[in-house]
Amino acid sequence: MTPRAGMLIAAGALVAGTVTVLPAAPADAGEPTPRPLAPLAWTDCATQAYPRLQCATLKVPLNHDDPAGRKITLALTRVPHTAGTSQGPLLVNPGGPGGSGRGMAGYVAASLPPKVAAEYDVIGFDPRGVGKSEPALDCKPGHFAPVRADSVPSGAAAERAAVERAQSFAQACGRKYADVLPYIDTVSTARDLDAIRHALGAPKINYLGYSYGTYLGSVYARLYPDRVRRMALDSVVNPHGVWYEDNIAQDYAFDTRHKDFMAWVARQNAVYKLGSDPAAVEAAWYRMRDALRATPAGGKVGPGELEDTYLPGGYYNGYWPKLASAFAAYVNDADPKPLTEAYERYGEADAAADNGYSVYTSVQCRDAGWPRDWNVWRKDSWDVHAKAPFSTWNNAWYNAPCAFWPVDSLTPPDVTNDQLPPVLILQATDDAATPYEGGVALHRLMRGSSLVVEEGGGNHGVTLGGNDCLDGHLAAYLATGKVPRGEDGAEVDAFCAALPEPEPEPVTAAAPTATPEKSGRRAGAVRAEPAGVALHGLLGHVR
């Protein structure tokens, strides 16, 4: 669940436990018999970073209940196995909903131990509606163009204008994609996963999903438990809160994580000179926010854009040094340029972000019930904002089109599962985008699963990002299928220590020497970077 990611919630719209019970029996019994598929035609699409990367496309039904009807196209990537014996396909998903997964195949294949990667065909894919898949949704290009009105409403007129803006986005989606929107949802995407499996000629899949990808994997496992060989789920969506409640939980968690960042800045007072008291540093950040309302930095960074810029720091603390440097330059030197550059680097929306947001809303608004009475959103948002002001209203407006969505919502499936081989669940204790409770909840719902916890970790997406302990558990699982087991009665099966906090960087007004990578929640593709930066750029934080 990516910034938006990932992926905000308020009380009362969706009752946890209200579920559609999906059949636990093999799904073939109640589904149309799939037609034989031609082998995928893989072509070379190598890059400098991933010289063995291949690409293909696959046509699937728009409506899986009408297999002879309209087709849509999924874009796939592959790094083929090189070992003499293959363990089959490893499908990888970076989350979202709305995240492009084509770039994940090369990264995962390059990041796993060579002996493990050599045994798998690592498969990336753009889910329906995303990226190179067709049709790719873009409901309202430029929806996030700066400078937007302050996300925190200043009065009834400002709130009304923001509501109308959200409503206009929903209406634009309905006008452009009326025939498609009923089929942009998690269950349909899970059935696409099985079409990919079928096209690959594999009786079962292996799967690695991050963030929203954990929910997609859980739904697939519920639909097709007999077709899961191995499944690793990193940074887990709480299935009890899909999606309104999960977003509210994020509001509180992101505010806590922002305070963690302020405390880190305070500990680095010798570098940033913003004070040694975390509360005073946080007060300075909110004064900066107030000043940007009157005079946006560089003519493009107002309060909403500031939140967009600093929210990625809640996903990954590797961004903290540059974010702190921009903060200090603005407060101490009255220099807005580093702040503008930070926005361009982490928060600015591009065409890929417009596409990601269109799919994000399409999936989340369709997947589950949302309040249709704006008064519910207003009350919940003000109540949460009073305790967690960092991004509550920003997140509310990000999700607000769901109050006016032109397609009725579905009821989320029950992902309880007792028919799977051991599933590996990996979760940081202080993850803001998918709070810790989600990992525990899914662990309880998936009998026989194993929960590995990064103790004290606050990053979102914790494997293949530089933590050797977590990476070791993932590699061992993919190699052998074995998971760690804790003592009888223990909730957690294994613990890993968190990575050290980042080192500060000197405050400088100099612009980057290269084009900034887009690593924020509305980001597109990124350059090759060290493990943590590269991973979190690929995860994209589209929520």
Side-chain angles (χ1 to χ4, degrees):
M1 178 165 143
T2 131
R4 289 197 184 211
M7 7 112 126
L8 304 180
I9 14 182
L14 174 66
V15 178
T18 302
V19 295
T20 295
V21 179
L22 295 176
D28 281 343
E31 293 188 354
T33 301
R35 297 182 174 187
L37 295 174
L40 291 167
W42 294 102
T43 61
D44 178 80
C45 58
T47 66
Q48 183 175 358
Y50 309 124
R52 295 193 300 114
L53 193 68
Q54 299 172 344
C55 292
T57 59
L58 173 66
K59 291 189 179 299
V60 298
L62 173 64
N63 176 4
H64 282 281
D65 290 329
D66 180 17
R70 178 181 172 185
K71 301 297 190 292
I72 60 175
T73 301
L74 304 179
L76 314 178
T77 54
R78 176 179 76 166
V79 177
H81 74 279
T82 56
T85 301
S86 170
Q87 298 209 47
L90 172 62
L91 277 67
V92 294
N93 180 272
S100 169
R102 294 172 73 249
M104 287 296 294
Y107 181 84
V108 170
S111 300
L112 287 170
K115 184 177 180 181
V116 177
E119 296 178 345
Y120 285 95
D121 294 319
V122 185
I123 309 294
F125 62 98
D126 281 352
R128 54 175 53 204
V130 176
K132 296 296 185 181
S133 292
E134 296 177 353
L137 308 189
D138 191 349
C139 296
K140 194 175 182 183
H143 183 68
F144 291 102
V147 174
R148 308 192 306 273
D150 191 341
S151 56
V152 181
S154 59
E159 181 181 344
R160 185 164 54 251
V163 168
E164 290 172 353
R165 179 174 176 271
Q167 189 172 17
S168 71
F169 184 88
Q171 290 170 342
C173 289
R175 284 193 302 269
K176 292 181 74 171
Y177 304 112
D179 55 340
V180 174
L181 291 185
Y183 309 105
I184 306 295
D185 62 89
T186 298
V187 170
S188 294
T189 304
R191 296 176 77 175
D192 289 344
L193 282 183
D194 204 57
I196 295 172
R197 177 203 61 79
H198 184 56
L200 292 168
K204 297 185 178 185
I205 66 166
N206 307 282
Y207 180 84
L208 170 61
Y210 292 85
S211 193
Y212 165 76
T214 67
Y215 183 63
L216 175 60
S218 301
V219 171
Y220 179 87
R222 179 63 182 186
L223 286 167
Y224 309 104
D226 59 320
R227 299 174 190 172
V228 175
R229 182 174 179 270
R230 289 174 194 162
M231 179 170 283
L233 304 175
D234 182 329
S235 304
V236 176
V237 169
N238 191 335
H240 295 311
V242 175
W243 288 110
Y244 188 68
E245 288 86 352
D246 279 347
N247 274 288
I248 284 182
Q250 279 187 339
D251 293 341
Y252 288 111
F254 271 110
D255 192 81
T256 297
R257 195 62 180 151
H258 187 63
K259 286 180 168 60
D260 292 343
F261 171 45
M262 297 292 101
W264 178 84
V265 173
R267 290 194 295 275
Q268 311 301 334
N269 185 45
V271 176
Y272 298 115
K273 297 179 172 50
L274 288 163
S276 57
D277 177 7
V281 175
E282 186 177 22
W285 192 90
Y286 280 101
R287 287 195 300 273
M288 175 174 68
R289 187 188 187 284
D290 289 341
L292 293 171
R293 185 185 304 110
T295 308
K300 62 182 351 181
V301 184
E305 290 76 25
L306 183 73
E307 292 159 349
D308 296 348
T309 302
Y310 280 79
L311 189 62
Y315 285 86
Y316 175 53
N317 63 9
Y319 301 144
W320 286 3
K322 286 185 170 57
L323 292 173
S325 181
F327 176 20
Y330 184 89
V331 171
N332 295 330
D333 303 325
D335 183 0
K337 186 175 181 181
L339 192 61
T340 304
E341 291 172 349
Y343 167 68
E344 293 168 348
R345 187 183 190 99
Y346 300 117
E348 189 171 33
D350 57 12
D354 286 343
N355 167 240
Y357 179 61
S358 296
V359 176
Y360 170 89
T361 49
S362 298
V363 170
Q364 294 216 345
C365 299
R366 176 64 168 155
D367 264 4
W370 296 75
R372 292 286 182 161
D373 181 354
W374 181 254
N375 291 322
V376 175
W377 294 71
R378 176 190 297 113
K379 180 182 184 306
D380 288 342
S381 295
W382 281 121
D383 287 350
V384 177
H385 174 83
K387 301 173 184 177
F390 168 57
S391 63
T392 293
W393 271 107
N394 189 307
N395 201 25
W397 298 124
Y398 198 81
N399 289 278
C402 292
F404 312 102
W405 202 245
V407 180
D408 290 340
S409 296
L410 302 170
T411 304
D414 179 2
V415 298
T416 303
N417 211 316
D418 60 2
Q419 300 186 53
L420 297 172
V423 170
L424 182 65
I425 297 173
L426 306 112
Q427 182 70 44
T429 56
D430 300 332
D431 183 353
T434 51
Y436 178 74
E437 292 75 16
V440 173
L442 189 63
H443 180 41
R444 292 171 179 170
L445 291 174
M446 286 185 163
R447 192 176 73 178
S449 63
S450 174
L451 177 60
V452 178
V453 169
E454 186 183 40
E455 184 70 30
N459 291 337
H460 177 67
V462 293
T463 56
L464 305 184
N467 187 313
D468 291 342
C469 175
L470 292 163
D471 292 352
H473 283 295
L474 176 63
Y477 174 65
L478 291 177
T480 68
K482 294 180 180 180
V483 297
R485 293 296 183 195
E487 297 180 0
D488 289 346
E491 185 84 78
V492 177
D493 294 288
F495 288 94
C496 290
L499 292 173
E501 289 186 336
E503 293 294 325
E505 295 181 4
V507 177
T508 175
T513 56
T515 302
E517 77 273 16
K518 299 289 185 100
S519 299
R521 59 178 163 181
R522 303 187 183 109
V526 297
R527 302 190 314 267
E529 294 283 355
V533 173
L535 173 65
H536 288 86
L538 285 165
L539 299 185
H541 308 317
V542 183
R543 226 194 342 242

